[in-house]
């Protein structure tokens, strides 16, 4: 299969590319990519990427920024960081990407454990992760031509603990390679409307 991985330069994205490349042709895209640059917050950028690469069999989104900070000081502008990036970025990717998927193709989005296990300073992350999963649940019953959509919900990564460890005291971190298996399950499997939890 021909698989587009958005966010391929990130920790999860790299692990997903490594796992899926064992079986599939990978198109690695990210904001920093010289070959396939894309900004998921700009619909025109997403459209331009698909115009360049053509139809694919699967789309994986391992991307999206969030705002972490105290609720008592949070502004609407800060809250919209997660809405515009992680939520609407993945929504736009789905809305545009469905037109460029072969029949029976798949879309895999990314949420996160904070959607179900809230942490201090993480109200934006909790709301956005829940919304991503809600969108996929609704989209799963409407996508045409046998197209599937699933979400991967992972705990904090082992590789990210040096940066994010203080936020996730008591959480069991998971290696990126294990998280990548959930993306493979979505791409290579047959289910739709699922949330694959890797905790």
């Amino acid at each position: 299969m021909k698989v587009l991985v958005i966010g391929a330069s990130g920790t999860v994205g790299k692990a997903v590319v490594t796992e899926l490349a064992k079986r599939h042709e990978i198109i690695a895209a990210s904001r920093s990519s010289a070959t396939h640059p894309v900004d998921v917050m700009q619909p025109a950028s997403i459209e331009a990427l698909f115009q360049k690469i053509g139809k694919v069999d699967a789309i994986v989104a391992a991307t999206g920024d969030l705002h972490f900070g105290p609720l008592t000081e949070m502004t609407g502008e800060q809250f919209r960081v997660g809405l515009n990036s992680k939520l609407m970025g993945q929504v736009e990717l789905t809305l545009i990407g469905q037109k460029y998927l072969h029949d029976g193709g798949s879309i895999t989005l990314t949420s996160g454990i904070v959607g179900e296990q809230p942490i201090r300073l993480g109200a934006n992350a909790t709301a956005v992760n829940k919304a991503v999963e809600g969108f996929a649940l609704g989209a799963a019953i409407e996508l045409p031509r046998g197209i599937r959509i699933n979400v991967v919900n992972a705990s904090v990564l082992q590789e990210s603990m040096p940066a994010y460890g203080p936020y996730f005291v008591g959480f069991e971190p998971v290696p990126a390679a294990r998280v990548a298996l959930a993306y493979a399950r979505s791409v290579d499997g047959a289910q739709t409307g699922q949330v694959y939890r890797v905790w």
Side-chain angles (χ1 to χ4, degrees):
M1 289 193 289
K2 188 176 175 182
V3 181
L4 170 64
V5 178
I6 308 278
S9 60
T11 306
V12 170
K14 286 177 183 174
V16 170
V17 168
T18 298
E19 173 61 35
L20 294 180
K22 298 172 185 176
R23 297 172 298 282
H24 306 301
E25 175 191 350
I26 305 298
I27 300 167
S30 67
R31 277 182 297 200
S32 60
S33 172
T35 310
H36 299 296
V38 64
D39 180 353
V40 294
M41 290 192 291
Q42 303 295 330
S45 177
I46 298 171
E47 192 76 50
L49 175 65
F50 281 111
Q51 288 287 334
K52 179 180 178 183
I53 66 174
K55 289 206 166 187
V56 296
D57 298 291
I59 299 166
V60 172
T63 185
D65 296 327
L66 295 164
H67 173 74
F68 287 90
L71 188 69
T72 53
E73 300 171 14
M74 195 177 298
T75 66
E77 183 179 3
Q78 289 172 325
F79 196 86
R80 281 188 286 274
V81 169
L83 296 180
N84 293 336
S85 180
K86 190 166 185 178
L87 176 58
M88 285 309 300
Q90 294 191 93
V91 169
E92 293 281 12
L93 184 61
T94 301
L95 298 178
I96 296 169
Q98 64 180 325
K99 300 180 295 183
Y100 294 93
L101 277 168
H102 290 298
D103 292 359
S106 72
I107 300 167
T108 308
L109 306 181
T110 298
S111 64
I113 193 170
V114 177
E116 294 180 50
Q117 302 290 332
I119 60 172
R120 286 189 186 94
L121 312 181
N124 181 239
T126 299
V128 168
N129 287 329
K130 274 292 191 189
V132 169
E133 293 178 7
F135 169 69
L137 189 65
I141 64 170
E142 287 197 62
L143 283 167
R145 301 183 288 107
I147 293 172
R148 301 178 298 105
I149 185 168
N150 298 299
V151 181
V152 174
N153 176 332
S155 185
V156 61
L157 300 177
Q158 278 183 355
E159 292 86 345
S160 300
M161 284 302 281
Y164 294 106
Y167 293 100
F168 290 92
V169 175
F171 284 72
E172 183 175 352
V174 293
R178 184 176 157 218
V179 175
L181 293 174
Y183 290 89
R185 188 174 166 193
S186 178
V187 170
D188 289 277
Q191 293 180 310
T192 191
Q194 301 298 305
V195 177
Y196 298 119
R197 293 172 179 82
V198 189
W199 295 1

